[in-house]
Amino acid sequence: MRLGDERESSNWVDDGRGSGGGFGGGGFGGGGLGCLLPLVASRFGIGGVVVLVIGYFLLSSLGGLGGGGSGTSGLGPQSQVESSQGQGSVDPTTRHFTLQVLASTEDTWARLLQAKGIQYTPTKLHFYAGGDQSGCGAAQSAMGPFYCPNDNGIFLDTEFFQELSQRFQAPGDFAQAYVVAHEVGHHVQDLMGTLGKAHDLQARESETAGNATQVKIELQADCYAGVWAANARDPQGQPIMEAGDLQEGLTAARAIGDDTLQKETQGTVVPDSFTHGTSAQRMEALQRGYKTGNMDACIF
């Protein structure tokens, strides 16, 4: 990716290494899906649409991502930085790259939404490690990244990129950018009222139908990530995408498909339980957004 001269977004906060608290009486434990879903459903009635955008199924199928990771990033050495919140939770190289990507999403979506008469209000990215507190409840490293509409914020555990690269064999800068862009895609959905529409639908739907609605939400966010990538430009006006970048994103999308994860962890596939889409669906959505560059192609 061509991000050398891209600015860093200022819309971020480093919540520190485990300083956020938020676990209350013992937290969620090893794979606390049973505690997590009632919490989300009680607040939003959407069964997890706004939580664990990529990490939700990793949590439910794999029992959590946190498990003893070293905390290093796939992009740089473990060199902690200080922030206004105290001890930083992310190494400088990873922070710089992530904030460049976030800045690119801000510039790109502001331009795309302006053409539709919508003002883009940036989301805020919260870096954290171990545990934190969001407006959607407690966050823990096992969740992976998620978007919380109560905060209009993205919560990114600092070990997730390492897990993506090493555990799920999806390395590369665009694989990591895809994670951020997917979360920003949920923010775009929030601004456009799509998350509210999904909330209303799921309030009337069965569990199976509600899962299907959530799959549509997640696939649209994947598609939006592709739309951003297709339209993003560096300060000189050149596309930031380079040869091989899209394939890195497709590799990541394949690795986190519901069917792939279920096959790897339980040996069977239960389509009615899908919440993010199959590997093929996620890859197709990302590629569709990238090839068309048109958010109207990302149908909910």
Side-chain angles (χ1 to χ4, degrees):
M1 296 181 68
R2 189 180 293 105
L3 288 171
D5 296 327
E6 182 68 63
R7 68 178 179 88
E8 289 187 7
S9 172
S10 60
N11 294 300
W12 67 280
V13 61
D14 194 330
D15 292 333
R17 180 158 292 278
S19 64
F23 287 103
F28 295 123
L33 187 63
C35 296
L36 179 61
L37 290 186
L39 168 67
V40 177
S42 68
R43 292 175 184 269
F44 305 104
I46 200 166
V49 163
V50 294
V51 175
L52 313 187
V53 169
I54 289 179
Y56 163 75
F57 220 92
L58 302 182
L59 171 63
S60 61
S61 295
L62 301 176
L65 289 174
S70 64
T72 57
S73 165
L75 280 179
Q78 181 77 8
S79 175
Q80 298 304 319
V81 296
E82 293 293 327
S83 74
S84 60
Q85 282 69 37
Q87 179 65 42
S89 63
V90 60
D91 72 83
T93 305
T94 301
R95 182 185 66 178
H96 177 62
F97 171 80
T98 304
L99 294 179
Q100 283 186 307
V101 171
L102 185 62
S104 179
T105 66
E106 292 168 355
D107 296 340
T108 302
W109 282 114
R111 186 172 71 252
L112 293 176
L113 292 181
Q114 184 180 32
K116 292 181 173 294
I118 300 172
Q119 182 177 359
Y120 182 74
T121 304
T123 182
K124 178 169 284 188
L125 176 62
H126 296 253
F127 292 108
Y128 77 97
D132 197 10
Q133 185 71 33
S134 77
C136 301
Q140 74 172 65
S141 58
M143 294 177 178
F146 67 92
Y147 174 74
C148 175
N150 281 2
D151 298 317
N152 293 317
I154 295 168
F155 288 76
L156 176 64
D157 176 75
T158 56
E159 296 184 2
F160 184 78
F161 288 157
Q162 180 189 16
E163 296 285 347
L164 186 66
S165 174
Q166 298 180 7
R167 187 170 182 174
F168 297 100
Q169 299 299 301
D173 52 4
F174 184 68
Q176 299 182 7
Y178 159 55
V179 172
V180 177
H182 178 106
E183 304 300 345
V184 173
H186 282 297
H187 180 60
V188 173
Q189 291 173 323
D190 196 14
L191 294 176
M192 297 187 68
T194 310
L195 289 185
K197 179 180 178 181
H199 173 284
D200 293 341
L201 282 174
Q202 286 202 321
R204 303 188 301 269
E205 291 177 327
S206 66
E207 180 178 355
T208 298
N211 286 344
T213 295
Q214 184 171 336
V215 168
K216 293 178 183 178
I217 283 287
E218 300 300 334
L219 293 179
Q220 186 181 56
D222 281 337
C223 186
Y224 281 168
V227 170
W228 159 72
N231 288 279
R233 298 291 184 268
D234 68 12
Q236 288 72 47
Q238 298 300 311
I240 66 170
M241 295 288 282
E242 299 177 303
D245 284 341
L246 179 60
Q247 186 56 51
E248 292 175 358
L250 294 174
T251 298
R254 180 174 61 245
I256 56 178
D258 287 339
D259 56 337
T260 297
L261 290 171
Q262 287 189 358
K263 286 177 184 177
E264 292 177 352
T265 58
Q266 62 192 38
T268 59
V269 175
V270 185
D272 285 350
S273 70
F274 290 172
T275 56
H276 283 63
T278 65
S279 293
Q281 286 176 318
R282 301 200 71 170
M283 293 170 69
E284 188 279 331
L286 176 62
Q287 196 162 32
R288 174 164 28 99
Y290 184 73
K291 286 185 174 181
T292 65
N294 183 357
M295 64 183 300
D296 292 336
C298 304
I299 302 171
F300 168 62

